[in-house]
């Protein structure tokens, strides 16, 4: 067995943190913004108040971590789904670069938009 | 290892099967697993949506209003319902598996797995409630 | 003995066939018979040439694992009745090369077992004359669960990652490593971490969790691997952030 | 078991992967003196009286003295012994033992011991394993054993494995009988191998019935269930053991009394109860009830969880709510390959340890939890003796090759023979005749009938039918060879039992109901004659400090 030192611990940590954070926060957010408000079940708050809450520096930091870590979470899982589900292990370097690269790019864009 | 039996290792006569590409459609448990893994796409989609909302918010009120209007289209509502289903599945599987990795103790007493999972759910309900109240009360 | 049940057994005779074929047998359906009793009935009464492994008939030697209707199962612990009216399809454990009929090749697993150093590693051995190493019931409870593995390899058969990637160290071997890691008498943690924290070790596992589902002894290898990953990640960050420690 | 000397290489040959060996099933525990309230003297006395004075007392002394060290060694290797609050090893009471001294790892003691030992053995490079190699013959030349011939099951390859000394540790022969706690692999292979090589089998008439096996499968319900407080009742719910000189009932278990009496006496009491018509009858014969319900779910789950698991998974009974049906089942053979106190057989270079051997420390009745310890103590002794022998004897003699060819021919002929007799038929007739002729109670009549039957089966065996001619994992071939081993061993059991005209421990003759120390305080030695029959000789028992006395259990002790 090739005992190559793995860099998986790094991505796994991001994956884990993203998994936990997204499990906690996303359902409520998605329900409110994506379903309840558009369907008129609840009345969405006015532009100004949304802005006030979401643009609060603390909220921005939370949002940044949520987005970035969740992207890494998704990237990590999707990468293994491609390996296992479609047996694309032989392309592993390419897939890893695309998945984690995508997450990294997404995080940068998010940071740029937020600040 | 059984060094003397090397000639039997990978014996040519032994029959081997290669897993078919779509191995996971045969068993319910495997489909469920692949579905769990695919929730990663829903998670990614959701945070991208969040970023889009931020961008609109930061651009102008008009942009924000137009976004909320777009989100009212049946197409997007459907997408979001699907995504929510997947994300909820992610949440449940995640909380149920968390105690597997984490062993918590109070003194000598090991906190049972069910309580750790329960704690996760409790926190989740509280946090979701807070978000909801903050949102509704504007 | 009123009724019978049909058993379809996968036969592979390497001298005669190039791939397995199914052969059907009728065996009595008795309420206290397990599948293994059915197989023995076939061997004793119907067809002496059927090959399969078994020994204890009490779920502890670990030799009688097979695929029953596509699921890995200990055949001495599964009643015929629970599969009535049948037919019952019996195949060798999947993901392993088939030697003959229901017999698979175990060498890969045996090799992996050795690589994880499943023995007490100590810097200094205490002489036997000085008595036992003290270990409280709580310390025992820490690893007890992971020490219950009977090496039946059902978990390997259930784990798709192992099926796709035979290099993967796999659930039982990692659980065994964890059994020694958590033993208060052992000091081999770092050694084993070195061995297992590579791509084919713990990081290959995507927490499918099926290994724990099928485990007849409730060893929970999936949990063992998860805990191992957490420990692995922690030590990785430590080595990055606090490189002077070690 | 083999502490290594770097100049030696060791081959471990086993017909199953080592961790599948039958030791894995042992539940209750392993005895060794460790607690301050215990003494070596007491353990020695319990063992000797339990054996009905049939054991060699020097061997018992050595055994008891070395037991604690070997058990601690296993602790150091990682065996997960149950513990007291202060971290020391915990002990439990066991049948026939006056003081609690049985170490245990829940009720999977043998499992944990075997896995610990096996896993630790992986550490040692000089140990080479031949897993799933089936030994068919000992190679004896020049008056010493120089190796074995074995078949690699996976490929059918027949090959000699040479060794300057050979240790047999092939376990017992319970499969000669129909109802047994023993696994499928316990066919007396090693006994027959040695016997065929001219080594006598000692004390083969002493076969232990365990009083509490599950009727159909023979799955063992460990003695620990009685040690924890389980009781035996007949069909009227009556604790019948009190009628058989085993003490009076108490709500709490009392050592060396009632349910914690020795196995032979408990099994005999069952037969008497059956004769009185006070047992229950089911599809698989008579049985009584073992009741643990009063212990409650908590104790059952923490102290004897495996008992519950076995009942639930293999018999569909929940001992928390229901009584467990039990009957005596063949469990252990006290006799075996004749060895001295250093595990050496009369044949140079051949050593034996474990259930296959008879040193003897178990005499006419083994005490529960002495066997696992015996494996360690005499396994270690055998290892040391074999190493010494190997160092003193270099090289191999030439004649061996022709023996190997011989054996190859024999096996190939067998594989291609055209017989008519079914293995399963011969086997089940052997089962029947052994149970009826050499069961818990024997007599000249029954034994002679069985003796004849075994002859007949031997003859039919020579015309056995072979359906499977494959070279790959041919389990029919192995069962045929095993049947041959069993028939040989069955012969020695019957002849030894026939000649011992007394009752002692597990050997009970209805026609000679008394113990007869004048004539029979000696070990029987069964030798193989050229025509396949056994000749029985005697060897006096070694008595050192403990003159034969009466075995008393219950209040009288
Ligand atoms: C259900 C049960 C419970 C028990 N509980 C207890 C207990 O609580 N306490 C106690 O002290 N004792 C107990 N005993 C008794 C004790 O477990 C056995 O006596 C002991 O384990 C025998 O060990 P062994 O090493 O001699 O043989 P085994 O463990 O049977 O090993 C025999 C080995 O020899 C190999 N072998 C045999 N024939 C061949 C061949 N022809 N070629 C190659 N290899 C061969 C086998 O593969 C196997 O590896 C129990 C026994 C049973 C059946
Ligand atoms: S972990 Fe469970 S399933 Fe896997 S080999 Fe061990 S006992 Fe069998
Ligand atoms: S099934 Fe396989 S992927 Fe991991 S959790 Fe179990 S080892
Ligand atoms: S026969 Fe031993 S586990 Fe099934």
């Amino acid at each position: 067995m090739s005992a190559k030192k793995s860099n998986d611990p790094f991505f796994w940590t991001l994956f884990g943190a993203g998994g936990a954070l997204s499990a906690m926060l996303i359902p409520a957010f998605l329900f409110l913004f994506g379903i309840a408000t558009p369907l008129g079940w609840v009345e969405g708050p006015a532009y100004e108040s949304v802005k006030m809450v979401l643009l609060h520096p603390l909220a921005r930091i939370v949002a940044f971590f949520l987005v970035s870590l969740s992207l890494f979470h998704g990237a990590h899982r999707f990468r293994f789904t491609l390996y296992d589900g479609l047996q694309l292990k032989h392309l592993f370097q390419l897939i890893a670069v695309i998945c984690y690269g995508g997450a990294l790019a997404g995080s940068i864009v998010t940071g740029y938009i937020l600040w | 290892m059984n060094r003397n039996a090397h000639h039997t290792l990978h014996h040519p006569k032994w029959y081997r099967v290669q897993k078919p590409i779509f191995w996971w459609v045969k068993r319910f448990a495997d489909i469920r697993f692949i579905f769990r893994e695919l929730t990663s796409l829903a998670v990614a989609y959701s945070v991208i949506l969040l970023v889009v909302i931020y961008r609109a918010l930061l651009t102008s009120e008009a942009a924000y209003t137009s976004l909320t209007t777009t989100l009212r289209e049946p197409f997007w509502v459907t997408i979001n319902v699907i995504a929510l289903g997947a994300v909820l599945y992610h949440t449940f599987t995640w909380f149920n598996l968390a105690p597997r990795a984490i062993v918590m103790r109070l003194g000598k007493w090991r906190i049972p797995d069910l309580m750790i999972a329960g704690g996760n759910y409790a926190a989740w309900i509280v946090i979701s409630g807070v978000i909801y109240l903050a949102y509704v009360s504007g | 003995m009123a009724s019978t049940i049909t058993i379809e057994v996968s036969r592979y005779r390497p001298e005669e066939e190039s791939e397995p074929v199914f052969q059907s047998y009728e065996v009595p359906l008795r309420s206290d018979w397990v599948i293994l009793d059915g197989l023995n009935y076939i061997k004793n009464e119907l067809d002496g040439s059927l090959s399969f492994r078994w020994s204890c008939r009490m779920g502890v030697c670990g030799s009688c694992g097979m695929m029953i209707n596509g699921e890995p199962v200990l055949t001495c612990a599964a009643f015929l009745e629970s599969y009535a009216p049948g037919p019952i399809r019996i195949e060798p454990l999947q993901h392993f090369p088939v030697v003959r009929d229901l017999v698979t090749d175990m060498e890969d697993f045996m090799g992996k077992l050795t690589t994880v150093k499943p023995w007490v590693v100590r810097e200094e051995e205490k002489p036997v004359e000085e008595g036992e190493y003290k270990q409280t019931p709580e310390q025992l409870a820490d690893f007890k669960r992971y020490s219950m593995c009977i090496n039946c390899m059902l978990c390997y058969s259930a784990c798709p990652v192992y099926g796709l990637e035979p290099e993967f160290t796999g659930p039982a071997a990692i659980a065994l490593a964890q059994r020694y890691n958590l033993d208060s008498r052992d000091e081999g943690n770092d050694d084993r971490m070195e061995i297992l924290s590579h791509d084919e070790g713990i990081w290959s596992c995507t927490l499918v969790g099926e290994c724990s589902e099928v485990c007849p002894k409730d060893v929970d290898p999936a949990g063992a691997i998860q805990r191992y990953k957490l420990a692995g990640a922690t030590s990785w960050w430590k080595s990055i952030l606090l490189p002077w420690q070690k | 078991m083999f502490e290594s000397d770097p100049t030696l290489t060791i081959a471990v040959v086993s017909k199953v992967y080592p961790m599948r060996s039958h030791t894995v099933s042992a539940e209750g525990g392993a005895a060794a003196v460790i607690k301050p309230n215990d003494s070596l003297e007491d353990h020695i006395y319990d063992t000797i009286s339990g054996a009905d004075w049939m054991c060699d007392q020097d061997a018992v002394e050595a055994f008891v003295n070395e037991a604690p060290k070997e058990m601690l060694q296993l602790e150091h290797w990682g065996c997960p012994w149950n513990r007291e609050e202060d971290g020391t090893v915990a002990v439990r009471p066991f049948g026939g033992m006056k003081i609690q001294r049985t170490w245990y790892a829940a009720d999977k003691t043998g499992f944990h011991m075997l896995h610990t030992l096996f896993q630790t053995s992986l550490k040692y490079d000089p140990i080479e394993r031949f897993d799933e190699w089936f030994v068919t013959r000992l190679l004896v030349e020049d008056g010493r054993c120089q190796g074995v011939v074995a078949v690699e099951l996976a490929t059918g390859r027949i090959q000699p494995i040479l060794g300057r000394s050979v240790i047999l540790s092939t376990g017992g022969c319970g499969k000669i009988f129909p109802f047994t706690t023993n696994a499928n692999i316990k066919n007396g292979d090693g006994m027959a191998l040695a016997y065929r090589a001219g080594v006598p089998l000692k004390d083969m008439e002493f076969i232990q019935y365990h009083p509490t096996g599950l009727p159909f499968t023979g799955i063992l319900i460990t003695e620990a269930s009685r040690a924890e407080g389980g009781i035996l009742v007949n069909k009227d719910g009556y604790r019948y053991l009190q009628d058989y000189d085993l003490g009076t009932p108490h709500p709490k278990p009392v050592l060396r009394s009632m349910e914690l009496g020795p196995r032979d006496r408990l099994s005999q009491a069952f037969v008497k109860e059956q004769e009185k018509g006070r047992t229950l009858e089911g599809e698989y014969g008579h049985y009584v009830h073992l009741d643990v319900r009063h212990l409650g779910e908590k104790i059952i789950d923490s102290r004897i969880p495996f008992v519950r698991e076995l009942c639930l998974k293999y018999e569909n009974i929940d001992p928390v709510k229901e009584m467990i049906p039990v009957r005596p089942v063949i469990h252990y053979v006290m006799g075996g390959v004749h060895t001295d106190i250093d595990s050496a057989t009369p044949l140079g270079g051949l050593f034996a340890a474990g259930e296959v051997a008879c040193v003897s420390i178990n005499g006419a009745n083994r005490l529960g939890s002495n066997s696992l310890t015996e494996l360690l103590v005499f396994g270690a002794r055998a290892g040391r003796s074999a190493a010494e022998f190997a160092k003193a004897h270099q090289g191999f003699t030439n004649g061996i090759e022709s023996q190997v060819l011989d054996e190859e021919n024999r096996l190939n002929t067998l594989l291609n023979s055209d017989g008519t007799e079914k293995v399963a038929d011969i086997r089940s007739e052997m089962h029947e005749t052994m149970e009826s002729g050499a069961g818990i109670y024997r007599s000249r009549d029954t034994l002679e009938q069985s003796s004849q039957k075994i002859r007949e089966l031997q003859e039919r065996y020579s015309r056995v039918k072979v359906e499977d001619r494959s070279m790959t994992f041919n389990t029919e071939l192995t069962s045929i060879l095993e049947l041959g081993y069993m028939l040989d061993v069955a012969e020695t059991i019957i002849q030894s039992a026939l000649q011992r005209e007394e009752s002692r421990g597990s050997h009970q003759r209805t026609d000679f109901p008394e113990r007869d120390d004048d004539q029979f305080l000696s070990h029987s030695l069964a030798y193989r004659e050229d025509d396949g029959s056994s000749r029985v000789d005697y060897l006096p028992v070694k008595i050192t400090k403990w003159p034969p006395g009466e075995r008393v259990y219950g209040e009288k002790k």
Side-chain angles (χ1 to χ4, degrees):
Chain A
M1 252 174 260
S2 60
K4 183 168 67 91
K5 194 85 178 146
S6 175
N7 44 25
D8 274 328
F10 172 71
F11 290 115
W12 185 79
T13 311
L14 298 186
F15 159 78
L21 212 53
S22 58
M24 281 286 171
L25 299 179
I26 288 183
F29 149 75
L30 192 60
F31 175 71
L32 292 173
F33 277 92
I35 300 171
T37 315
L39 290 181
W41 294 348
V42 295
E43 196 172 328
Y47 171 71
E48 283 306 325
S49 55
V50 176
K51 202 168 167 179
M52 204 180 71
V53 175
L54 283 191
L55 293 188
H56 187 278
L58 205 66
R60 286 199 213 198
I61 290 173
V62 171
F64 176 75
F65 277 107
L66 173 64
V67 172
S68 168
L69 290 173
S70 295
L71 286 176
F72 274 102
H73 166 86
H76 186 79
R77 240 189 187 165
F78 193 62
R79 174 181 146 221
F80 278 101
T81 314
L82 290 179
Y83 288 172
D84 300 341
L86 297 176
Q87 301 193 14
L88 295 176
K89 186 79 187 183
H90 50 285
L91 298 176
F92 73 98
Q93 265 168 339
L94 182 67
I95 293 179
V97 168
I98 292 176
C99 287
Y100 296 132
L104 184 64
S107 303
I108 294 172
V109 172
T110 307
Y112 175 76
I113 290 174
L114 283 178
W115 285 285
Chain B
M1 278 217 15
N2 189 344
R3 276 161 285 162
N4 289 73
H6 262 317
H7 66 283
T8 60
L9 206 70
H10 312 304
H11 194 283
K13 279 199 301 191
W14 299 171
Y15 180 75
R16 272 156 239 275
V17 220
Q18 167 81 43
K19 255 192 181 306
I21 294 249
F22 290 104
W23 57 270
W24 42 270
V25 297
K26 278 205 303 206
R27 278 180 73 211
F28 177 64
D30 291 336
I31 296 177
R32 206 171 50 190
F33 159 68
I34 289 289
F35 180 65
R36 188 193 79 190
E37 297 304 277
L38 287 177
T39 61
S40 56
L41 292 179
V43 168
Y45 160 78
S46 309
V47 291
I48 290 171
L49 178 65
L50 180 62
V51 176
V52 171
I53 292 174
Y54 259 105
R55 207 184 59 154
L57 210 52
L58 286 164
T59 313
S60 66
E61 182 162 3
Y64 183 73
T65 321
S66 114
L67 178 66
T68 49
T69 323
T70 314
L71 282 178
R72 253 182 243 130
E73 285 167 19
F75 173 78
W76 287 108
V77 174
T78 315
I79 293 281
N80 286 335
V81 168
I82 294 171
L84 180 67
V87 171
L88 280 173
Y89 188 68
H90 161 68
T91 300
F92 293 139
T93 52
W94 194 267
F95 288 169
N96 291 342
L97 288 173
R100 285 273 182 68
I102 300 161
V103 174
M104 280 201 280
R105 269 174 227 283
L106 267 180
K108 270 188 174 182
W109 183 62
R110 181 172 165 179
I111 301 179
D113 287 1
L114 265 179
M115 281 182 65
I116 300 183
N120 266 323
Y121 280 110
W124 179 63
I125 290 170
V126 170
I127 289 176
S128 302
V130 168
I131 296 177
Y132 180 78
L133 287 179
Y135 185 78
V136 177
S137 62
Chain C
M1 248 188 273
S3 55
T4 59
I5 189 164
T6 307
I7 297 186
E8 298 170 0
V9 185
S10 165
R11 302 295 310 264
Y12 173 60
R13 284 151 293 207
E15 284 103 334
E16 294 162 31
E17 289 142 347
S18 57
E19 60 179 56
V21 293
F22 280 99
Q23 196 165 339
S24 289
Y25 304 93
E26 289 282 310
V27 307
L29 177 60
R30 306 180 55 152
S31 65
D32 46 8
W33 273 23
V34 292
I35 292 184
L36 186 58
D37 294 319
L39 287 173
N40 272 319
Y41 178 86
I42 298 175
K43 180 145 188 86
N44 292 334
E45 307 297 333
L46 307 176
D47 186 347
S49 73
L50 179 65
S51 278
F52 51 94
R53 291 189 180 105
W54 72 288
S55 180
C56 69
R57 208 217 169 268
M58 54 191 279
V60 66
C61 74
S63 39
C64 69
M66 297 167 205
M67 304 298 291
I68 307 297
N69 293 345
E71 301 288 330
V73 162
L74 281 187
T75 48
C76 69
F79 287 100
L80 280 176
E81 238 180 14
S82 44
Y83 294 88
I88 307 175
R89 202 160 242 253
I90 307 187
E91 292 162 279
L93 281 183
Q94 67 176 4
H95 301 162
F96 298 100
V98 183
V99 173
R100 158 91 194 263
D101 295 346
L102 300 168
V103 177
T104 55
D105 179 39
M106 284 184 54
E107 286 303 314
D108 178 51
F109 173 71
M110 295 303 283
K112 282 176 177 158
L113 216 50
T114 312
T115 61
V116 305
K117 297 200 175 184
W119 51 77
V120 171
V121 175
R122 286 188 71 89
E123 222 145 84
E124 226 171 294
E125 293 266 357
K126 168 162 137 179
V128 172
E129 289 69 35
E130 286 173 26
E132 70 261 57
Y133 294 116
K134 292 276 185 348
Q135 183 168 64
T136 64
E138 290 79 24
Q139 287 172 324
L140 174 67
D142 276 346
F143 70 90
K144 183 87 195 187
R145 182 174 202 184
Y146 302 134
S147 75
M148 302 304 280
C149 170
I150 59 172
N151 298 352
C152 66
M153 306 188 306
L154 299 190
C155 51
Y156 282 74
S157 245
C159 174
V161 174
Y162 179 67
L164 296 166
E165 214 181 309
E167 295 285 292
F168 175 36
T169 311
I174 299 180
L176 189 62
Q178 194 65 327
R179 171 244 176 279
Y180 280 95
N181 281 340
L182 296 173
D183 190 324
S184 57
R185 294 166 288 189
D186 177 82
E187 296 166 348
N189 235 316
D190 294 344
D191 280 11
R192 290 190 203 96
M193 185 60 84
E194 193 70 31
I195 297 162
L196 282 167
S197 63
H198 57 85
D199 288 342
E200 285 82 32
I202 46 180
W203 303 113
S204 272
C205 164
T206 48
L207 193 52
V208 177
E210 279 301 297
C211 51
S212 293
E213 291 295 317
V214 301
C215 175
K217 297 291 138 182
D218 202 20
V219 175
D220 192 17
I225 302 175
Q226 276 319 95
R227 285 177 69 178
Y228 218 129
K229 284 185 191 164
L230 198 63
T234 315
S235 83
W236 187 89
W237 284 103
K238 261 203 194 134
S239 74
I240 296 290
L241 300 176
L242 311 162
W244 56 90
Q245 271 195 3
K246 177 99 189 177
Chain D
M1 267 172 241
F2 314 91
E3 260 303 78
S4 55
D5 168 339
T7 61
L8 296 170
T9 52
I10 299 151
V12 178
V13 187
S14 174
K15 64 180 176 181
V16 295
Y17 278 93
M19 70 282 178
R20 316 272 193 234
S21 299
H22 192 55
T23 299
V24 81
S25 314
E27 300 168 12
V33 174
I34 182 151
K35 295 291 169 188
N37 69 341
D38 200 355
S39 77
L40 298 170
E41 184 88 4
D42 280 326
H43 190 188
I44 295 174
Y45 187 78
D46 282 345
T47 305
I48 293 174
S49 61
D52 221 349
W53 280 270
M54 262 305 281
C55 50
D56 289 337
Q57 298 184 355
D58 56 341
V60 175
E61 263 188 272
F63 163 69
V64 170
N65 289 337
E66 287 165 29
K69 174 172 163 272
E70 297 300 336
M71 295 283 283
L72 282 170
Q73 178 63 69
L74 208 58
E75 194 277 332
H76 285 215
W77 280 337
C79 191
W81 299 115
N82 272 40
R83 303 287 177 152
E84 306 287 357
E85 279 306 320
D86 67 356
T88 55
V89 169
V91 289
R92 66 162 40 138
F94 230 70
M97 300 271 188
K98 202 156 44 195
I99 293 174
Q100 304 198 4
R101 66 167 68 94
T102 296
W103 305 33
Y104 61 104
D107 45 10
K108 290 211 174 161
T109 308
F111 165 84
H112 286 299
M113 288 175 67
L114 180 65
H115 277 250
T116 303
L117 208 52
F118 170 65
Q119 287 158 9
T120 305
S121 82
L122 296 175
K123 173 164 95 171
Y124 296 106
D125 254 354
I127 302 180
E128 288 180 19
R129 287 208 327 278
F130 292 76
D131 295 336
E132 301 198 315
W133 285 63
F134 186 98
V135 176
T136 64
R137 172 170 182 167
L138 300 179
L139 291 169
V140 183
E141 261 284 315
D142 199 19
R144 64 189 170 100
C145 182
Q146 308 189 17
V148 299
V149 178
V151 184
E152 186 186 33
L153 295 180
T155 60
R157 207 158 58 111
I158 300 165
Q159 198 189 286
I161 301 171
L162 298 185
R164 282 184 258 146
S165 48
V166 173
I167 303 175
L168 288 172
S169 58
T170 55
C173 59
K175 278 285 163 186
I176 295 178
F177 291 82
F179 281 113
T180 174
T181 60
N182 286 192
N184 187 37
I185 56 171
K186 304 201 59 165
N187 319 88
D189 300 16
M191 296 174 188
L193 288 170
Y195 177 66
R196 290 173 186 179
V199 180
L201 301 187
K202 184 160 69 184
D203 289 345
M204 290 305 290
E205 61 273 39
F206 296 109
I207 307 271
Q208 180 167 75
Y209 276 82
H210 194 292
T212 54
L214 294 177
F216 161 53
T217 54
I219 289 175
L220 176 82
I221 301 302
T222 168
E223 199 151 289
S225 57
R226 280 171 284 135
E228 296 297 342
I231 55 171
L232 283 169
V233 295
N234 65 14
K235 74 173 183 202
D236 310 318
Y238 173 67
R239 289 177 74 177
Y240 61 92
L241 293 179
Q242 54 188 292
D243 296 356
Y244 302 95
D245 236 4
L246 282 158
T248 46
H250 285 274
K252 288 255 181 284
V254 178
L255 290 168
R256 273 179 77 111
S257 166
M258 289 296 287
E259 280 80 6
L260 290 182
R263 293 174 177 172
D264 54 343
R265 298 282 290 276
L266 261 57
S267 299
Q268 288 151 18
F270 172 89
V271 180
K272 295 274 165 63
E273 258 327 85
Q274 181 179 341
E275 282 165 6
K276 290 183 195 157
R278 301 202 297 193
T279 49
L280 298 105
E281 199 170 353
E283 207 182 332
Y284 305 100
H286 289 262
Y287 64 92
V288 290
H289 277 133
L290 172 67
D291 192 354
V292 295
R293 292 172 301 176
H294 53 284
L295 301 180
E297 187 160 358
K298 231 174 125 185
I299 299 252
I300 292 177
D301 281 349
S302 69
R303 298 300 195 81
I304 45 173
F306 194 42
V307 168
R308 190 170 186 201
E309 181 187 330
L310 287 172
C311 289
L312 278 172
K313 274 209 198 130
Y314 305 85
E315 207 90 345
N316 226 348
I317 294 169
D318 186 355
V320 170
K321 299 193 203 92
E322 291 158 274
M323 295 197 279
I324 310 169
V326 291
R327 56 162 281 162
V329 289
I330 289 283
H331 184 53
Y332 184 85
V333 48
M334 270 68 77
V337 179
H338 174 42
T339 73
D340 64 14
I341 190 169
D342 293 313
S343 301
T345 70
L347 175 62
L350 184 68
F351 304 82
E355 195 171 337
V356 68
C358 180
V359 180
S360 80
I361 63 159
N362 298 314
N365 173 59
R366 171 182 71 99
L367 287 194
S369 76
N370 265 354
S371 169
L372 289 174
T373 316
E374 178 185 356
L375 305 181
L376 300 178
V377 172
F378 289 97
R381 279 182 163 244
R384 285 193 293 269
S385 308
E388 254 167 53
F389 190 94
K391 281 188 197 154
H393 293 78
Q394 303 292 332
F396 300 99
T397 41
N398 289 329
I400 287 186
E401 276 148 44
S402 68
Q403 284 194 33
V404 177
L405 277 182
D406 247 24
E407 184 64 6
E408 260 177 55
N409 285 337
R410 179 178 81 99
L411 294 174
N412 285 328
T413 316
L414 175 65
L415 202 57
N416 294 308
S417 64
D418 283 311
T420 47
E421 293 286 348
K422 268 173 85 169
V423 192
D425 291 347
I426 303 182
R427 193 167 47 210
S428 62
E429 284 178 45
M430 170 186 74
H431 283 163
E432 242 164 66
T433 193
M434 290 307 281
E435 175 157 77
S436 64
I440 298 180
Y441 285 97
R442 299 126 183 221
S443 72
R444 171 165 295 281
D445 289 349
T446 62
L447 285 164
E448 273 176 351
Q449 273 168 21
S450 297
S451 166
Q452 250 171 14
K453 183 76 185 178
I454 293 291
R455 278 306 145 65
E456 176 206 319
L457 293 175
Q458 287 275 18
E459 191 274 324
R460 281 165 59 190
Y461 175 74
S462 61
R463 288 179 276 111
V464 74
K465 179 161 118 191
V466 185
E467 287 177 57
D468 185 354
R469 307 194 187 277
S470 166
M471 296 295 280
T472 313
F473 222 96
N474 188 331
T475 50
E476 190 182 43
L477 178 67
T478 52
S479 29
I480 290 173
L481 293 170
E482 286 167 348
L483 180 60
Y485 293 146
M486 289 194 284
L487 287 169
D488 276 6
V489 178
E491 166 79 13
T492 67
I493 294 175
I494 292 194
Q495 294 309 328
S496 311
L498 198 53
Q499 312 265 320
R500 182 173 291 277
E501 300 186 324
E502 64 155 355
S503 290
R504 181 191 297 271
S506 63
H507 173 70
Q508 296 287 320
R509 289 277 299 254
T510 50
D511 43 355
F512 297 94
E514 297 302 321
R515 192 170 99 186
D516 181 354
D517 284 346
D518 291 342
Q519 274 203 63
F520 285 108
L521 196 56
S522 349
H523 301 293
S524 63
L525 294 176
Y527 291 86
R528 186 168 197 271
E529 297 283 14
D530 286 340
D531 66 350
S533 65
S534 300
R535 172 174 55 87
V536 182
D537 244 1
Y538 287 93
L539 179 78
V541 168
K542 275 196 207 101
I543 305 279
T544 55
K545 291 187 228 158
W546 295 272
E550 204 194 332
R551 279 173 87 197
V552 282
Y553 294 96
E555 275 73 29
K556 280 187 270 171
K557 70 178 188 261

